[in-house]
Amino acid sequence: MTALHDLPAHDLIAAYRQRTLSPVEVTQAVLAHIERWEPHIKATYLLRPEAALAQARASEARWLRGEPQGALDGVPSTIKENISTEGDPTPLGTAAVELVPAAADAPPAARMREAGAVIVAKTTMPDYGMLSSGLSTFHPLSRNPWDVSKGPGGSSAGGGAAAAAGYGPLHIGTDIGGSLRLPASWCGIFSLKPSLGRIPIDPPYTGRAAGPMTRTVADAALMMQVLSLPDARDSMSLPYQDIAWSQFNKGVERLRGLRIGLLLDAGCGLPVEPEVKAAVERAAQLMEAAGATIVPMAPFMTQAMLDGMDHFWRMRSHIDLQALPAARRDKVLPYIRAWADSAAGMSGTEVFNASHQFHLTRVATVKACSAFDYVISPVAPMPAFQAELPSPTNDPLHPLEHIGFTVPFNMSEQPAASVNCGYTSAGLPIGLQIAGPRFDDLGVLQVAHAFELIREPQRAWPQPPAA
């Protein structure tokens, strides 16, 4: 029998409707499971059991009246720390930020509450979300449930760890260069970085997206029904579309006849490790056997593109840090400070040329993908790395060498997902990235679900160490 904390959201909603389970007993089970895991992986911020149980009791009363509030009523969920929740401070992962209560829920949090979700906790992130790790000057170091010596990835670090560890079925993260897909890959879960603007977010920023982090495509599709609802606060949001998210399951037949590009070389950054390459090639073989045509792709990113985006982000962060009082600036993670301050001597021409790489990346990505229905690739060139490291290179002058596969789809505004496609010999998960045309978020979900149906058997989810 599946433990309550492992049940997917669809099953929970069905059980609530049939009155075979209550939101209270499910939330109690999730909280008990978090209590066992949390000392080892440190995935949460503002974990408040009594507040979660109060939400669960209110949900239970609604179900008993036959009046559920929304599509997620009573389902335990978490929200990334940088998505504001009313009355709570938003430290952005750093000890340098003043802890001021947020005036209102940001759009993703508002949608979850309106749908009746039980917000069990918020989840951790590194300083300013500028690392692909769980290293933070504000939060304890977050770790990977598959191997607690490894990091969960970032910047949606706690969300990835929480989903893999079974902190309920639904989690929200954010992504500007890979921050949903990287932890999804390294924690063996599913995540969708939607088309820019598909999920309203506040504050909006070029390339920045919120998205679901779940164990299954089905639960991510359920979240998309809620998260994609309109919110006027996002000036970059897409016009609302009533997309048939429930149609994510078109079966293996969805792959038949598709022309899928296979990208095994990002064209920049670190080389792909052999075990990662082999797992992605095996995924391509399975898709081909299901009727897709797999076509090898030449790399379209360049090191100049990656370096330009990196240097522009350095300057943005340098300006932000210089605006802080010295005492607060000194609290920022030294790695982040070294990275940002390296931009201090950049000229206006250098900053412009760096910023232009965002546009060149967008153009190159759209052009390269235009010959295909979908594109598959590794999410990252390596599996999860040591938890204490800020980045795989541990070098603030080469910090983004692992995002060559993910960042182009932020800049092109295309939807891209991570779905587990295998494991290393050491048992660490390996993520397959599936990217689709702009606005085809549902198609990416359908292809990812089809792959779920044909991939090799998945290993059992990790369990907390024995007390």
Side-chain angles (χ1 to χ4, degrees), residues 244-262:
W245 299 108
S246 62
Q247 300 300 307
F248 70 89
N249 181 6
K250 291 297 184 178
V252 178
E253 277 294 310
R254 182 66 173 82
L255 296 172
R256 187 170 301 280
L258 292 181
R259 180 178 168 86
I260 296 178
L262 172 61

mmCIF file of all heavy atoms in Angstrom, residues 244-262:
data_model
loop_
_atom_site.group_PDB
_atom_site.id
_atom_site.type_symbol
_atom_site.label_atom_id
_atom_site.label_comp_id
_atom_site.label_asym_id
_atom_site.label_seq_id
_atom_site.Cartn_x
_atom_site.Cartn_y
_atom_site.Cartn_z
ATOM 1 N N ALA A 244 -6.330 22.746 -22.440
ATOM 2 C CA ALA A 244 -6.871 21.479 -21.916
ATOM 3 C C ALA A 244 -5.758 20.687 -21.240
ATOM 4 O O ALA A 244 -5.301 19.643 -21.742
ATOM 5 C CB ALA A 244 -7.502 20.675 -23.049
ATOM 6 N N TRP A 245 -5.314 21.182 -20.092
ATOM 7 C CA TRP A 245 -4.190 20.548 -19.400
ATOM 8 C C TRP A 245 -4.478 19.091 -19.060
ATOM 9 O O TRP A 245 -3.552 18.281 -18.969
ATOM 10 C CB TRP A 245 -3.843 21.329 -18.140
ATOM 11 C CG TRP A 245 -3.427 22.736 -18.397
ATOM 12 C CD1 TRP A 245 -4.133 23.872 -18.128
ATOM 13 C CD2 TRP A 245 -2.193 23.180 -18.988
ATOM 14 N NE1 TRP A 245 -3.434 24.993 -18.514
ATOM 15 C CE2 TRP A 245 -2.229 24.590 -19.037
ATOM 16 C CE3 TRP A 245 -1.064 22.511 -19.470
ATOM 17 C CZ2 TRP A 245 -1.176 25.350 -19.556
ATOM 18 C CZ3 TRP A 245 -0.019 23.266 -19.988
ATOM 19 C CH2 TRP A 245 -0.078 24.656 -20.028
ATOM 20 N N SER A 246 -5.745 18.755 -18.868
ATOM 21 C CA SER A 246 -6.090 17.368 -18.531
ATOM 22 C C SER A 246 -5.816 16.412 -19.684
ATOM 23 O O SER A 246 -5.838 15.188 -19.505
ATOM 24 C CB SER A 246 -7.558 17.273 -18.114
ATOM 25 O OG SER A 246 -8.398 17.666 -19.187
ATOM 26 N N GLN A 247 -5.530 16.972 -20.862
ATOM 27 C CA GLN A 247 -5.233 16.134 -22.034
ATOM 28 C C GLN A 247 -3.741 15.834 -22.156
ATOM 29 O O GLN A 247 -3.238 15.598 -23.256
ATOM 30 C CB GLN A 247 -5.730 16.831 -23.301
ATOM 31 C CG GLN A 247 -7.219 17.101 -23.313
ATOM 32 C CD GLN A 247 -8.031 15.816 -23.207
ATOM 33 O OE1 GLN A 247 -7.828 14.888 -23.973
ATOM 34 N NE2 GLN A 247 -8.925 15.785 -22.234
ATOM 35 N N PHE A 248 -3.030 15.818 -21.037
ATOM 36 C CA PHE A 248 -1.597 15.523 -21.060
ATOM 37 C C PHE A 248 -1.314 14.086 -21.464
ATOM 38 O O PHE A 248 -0.224 13.766 -21.941
ATOM 39 C CB PHE A 248 -0.976 15.786 -19.679
ATOM 40 C CG PHE A 248 -1.417 14.793 -18.633
ATOM 41 C CD1 PHE A 248 -0.711 13.620 -18.429
ATOM 42 C CD2 PHE A 248 -2.562 15.008 -17.879
ATOM 43 C CE1 PHE A 248 -1.126 12.694 -17.481
ATOM 44 C CE2 PHE A 248 -2.984 14.100 -16.937
ATOM 45 C CZ PHE A 248 -2.275 12.931 -16.745
ATOM 46 N N ASN A 249 -2.296 13.205 -21.276
ATOM 47 C CA ASN A 249 -2.066 11.774 -21.512
ATOM 48 C C ASN A 249 -2.613 11.378 -22.872
ATOM 49 O O ASN A 249 -3.776 11.027 -23.013
ATOM 50 C CB ASN A 249 -2.731 10.947 -20.405
ATOM 51 C CG ASN A 249 -2.511 9.450 -20.593
ATOM 52 O OD1 ASN A 249 -1.778 9.031 -21.490
ATOM 53 N ND2 ASN A 249 -3.136 8.659 -19.751
ATOM 54 N N LYS A 250 -1.752 11.437 -23.864
ATOM 55 C CA LYS A 250 -2.103 10.953 -25.199
ATOM 56 C C LYS A 250 -1.441 9.615 -25.504
ATOM 57 O O LYS A 250 -1.507 9.130 -26.640
ATOM 58 C CB LYS A 250 -1.691 11.995 -26.252
ATOM 59 C CG LYS A 250 -2.513 13.277 -26.210
ATOM 60 C CD LYS A 250 -3.971 13.001 -26.529
ATOM 61 C CE LYS A 250 -4.790 14.267 -26.589
ATOM 62 N NZ LYS A 250 -6.206 14.016 -26.944
ATOM 63 N N GLY A 251 -0.811 9.045 -24.478
ATOM 64 C CA GLY A 251 -0.219 7.724 -24.624
ATOM 65 C C GLY A 251 1.072 7.749 -25.439
ATOM 66 O O GLY A 251 1.539 8.790 -25.906
ATOM 67 N N VAL A 252 1.628 6.557 -25.612
ATOM 68 C CA VAL A 252 2.864 6.407 -26.370
ATOM 69 C C VAL A 252 2.662 6.817 -27.828
ATOM 70 O O VAL A 252 3.599 7.283 -28.497
ATOM 71 C CB VAL A 252 3.372 4.958 -26.267
ATOM 72 C CG1 VAL A 252 4.641 4.766 -27.087
ATOM 73 C CG2 VAL A 252 3.628 4.591 -24.807
ATOM 74 N N GLU A 253 1.423 6.718 -28.304
ATOM 75 C CA GLU A 253 1.131 7.095 -29.688
ATOM 76 C C GLU A 253 1.505 8.547 -29.981
ATOM 77 O O GLU A 253 1.727 8.901 -31.133
ATOM 78 C CB GLU A 253 -0.365 6.901 -29.984
ATOM 79 C CG GLU A 253 -0.752 5.478 -30.344
ATOM 80 C CD GLU A 253 -0.131 5.028 -31.663
ATOM 81 O OE1 GLU A 253 -0.248 5.768 -32.661
ATOM 82 O OE2 GLU A 253 0.505 3.967 -31.685
ATOM 83 N N ARG A 254 1.581 9.369 -28.942
ATOM 84 C CA ARG A 254 1.930 10.782 -29.140
ATOM 85 C C ARG A 254 3.297 10.930 -29.795
ATOM 86 O O ARG A 254 3.576 11.953 -30.444
ATOM 87 C CB ARG A 254 1.905 11.500 -27.780
ATOM 88 C CG ARG A 254 2.202 12.991 -27.841
ATOM 89 C CD ARG A 254 1.109 13.740 -28.581
ATOM 90 N NE ARG A 254 1.288 15.187 -28.513
ATOM 91 C CZ ARG A 254 2.100 15.909 -29.288
ATOM 92 N NH1 ARG A 254 2.831 15.300 -30.204
ATOM 93 N NH2 ARG A 254 2.173 17.215 -29.142
ATOM 94 N N LEU A 255 4.170 9.933 -29.623
ATOM 95 C CA LEU A 255 5.521 10.018 -30.177
ATOM 96 C C LEU A 255 5.580 9.645 -31.655
ATOM 97 O O LEU A 255 6.518 10.041 -32.359
ATOM 98 C CB LEU A 255 6.463 9.100 -29.397
ATOM 99 C CG LEU A 255 6.676 9.457 -27.915
ATOM 100 C CD1 LEU A 255 7.457 8.357 -27.219
ATOM 101 C CD2 LEU A 255 7.404 10.792 -27.787
ATOM 102 N N ARG A 256 4.578 8.912 -32.118
ATOM 103 C CA ARG A 256 4.628 8.399 -33.487
ATOM 104 C C ARG A 256 4.606 9.544 -34.503
ATOM 105 O O ARG A 256 3.751 10.422 -34.459
ATOM 106 C CB ARG A 256 3.461 7.444 -33.744
ATOM 107 C CG ARG A 256 3.528 6.734 -35.107
ATOM 108 C CD ARG A 256 2.501 5.628 -35.210
ATOM 109 N NE ARG A 256 2.690 4.625 -34.177
ATOM 110 C CZ ARG A 256 3.606 3.651 -34.237
ATOM 111 N NH1 ARG A 256 4.408 3.570 -35.284
ATOM 112 N NH2 ARG A 256 3.719 2.777 -33.264
ATOM 113 N N GLY A 257 5.573 9.519 -35.397
ATOM 114 C CA GLY A 257 5.635 10.521 -36.460
ATOM 115 C C GLY A 257 6.334 11.808 -36.093
ATOM 116 O O GLY A 257 6.525 12.671 -36.962
ATOM 117 N N LEU A 258 6.709 11.987 -34.830
ATOM 118 C CA LEU A 258 7.389 13.217 -34.435
ATOM 119 C C LEU A 258 8.823 13.228 -34.955
ATOM 120 O O LEU A 258 9.497 12.201 -35.009
ATOM 121 C CB LEU A 258 7.422 13.362 -32.912
ATOM 122 C CG LEU A 258 6.096 13.599 -32.194
ATOM 123 C CD1 LEU A 258 6.330 13.738 -30.692
ATOM 124 C CD2 LEU A 258 5.387 14.849 -32.741
ATOM 125 N N ARG A 259 9.268 14.413 -35.317
ATOM 126 C CA ARG A 259 10.665 14.621 -35.696
ATOM 127 C C ARG A 259 11.338 15.290 -34.494
ATOM 128 O O ARG A 259 11.016 16.439 -34.152
ATOM 129 C CB ARG A 259 10.744 15.503 -36.938
ATOM 130 C CG ARG A 259 12.159 15.801 -37.426
ATOM 131 C CD ARG A 259 12.090 16.642 -38.703
ATOM 132 N NE ARG A 259 13.391 17.195 -39.058
ATOM 133 C CZ ARG A 259 14.313 16.574 -39.779
ATOM 134 N NH1 ARG A 259 14.064 15.338 -40.224
ATOM 135 N NH2 ARG A 259 15.462 17.162 -40.064
ATOM 136 N N ILE A 260 12.232 14.558 -33.848
ATOM 137 C CA ILE A 260 12.822 15.013 -32.589
ATOM 138 C C ILE A 260 14.321 15.201 -32.764
ATOM 139 O O ILE A 260 15.040 14.294 -33.194
ATOM 140 C CB ILE A 260 12.541 14.002 -31.456
ATOM 141 C CG1 ILE A 260 11.032 13.918 -31.199
ATOM 142 C CG2 ILE A 260 13.276 14.394 -30.181
ATOM 143 C CD1 ILE A 260 10.632 12.918 -30.139
ATOM 144 N N GLY A 261 14.803 16.391 -32.447
ATOM 145 C CA GLY A 261 16.230 16.676 -32.488
ATOM 146 C C GLY A 261 16.910 16.144 -31.239
ATOM 147 O O GLY A 261 16.385 16.258 -30.132
ATOM 148 N N LEU A 262 18.085 15.552 -31.426
ATOM 149 C CA LEU A 262 18.876 15.019 -30.311
ATOM 150 C C LEU A 262 20.136 15.869 -30.172
ATOM 151 O O LEU A 262 21.019 15.847 -31.036
ATOM 152 C CB LEU A 262 19.236 13.561 -30.572
ATOM 153 C CG LEU A 262 20.216 12.912 -29.584
ATOM 154 C CD1 LEU A 262 19.647 12.921 -28.161
ATOM 155 C CD2 LEU A 262 20.561 11.495 -30.026
#
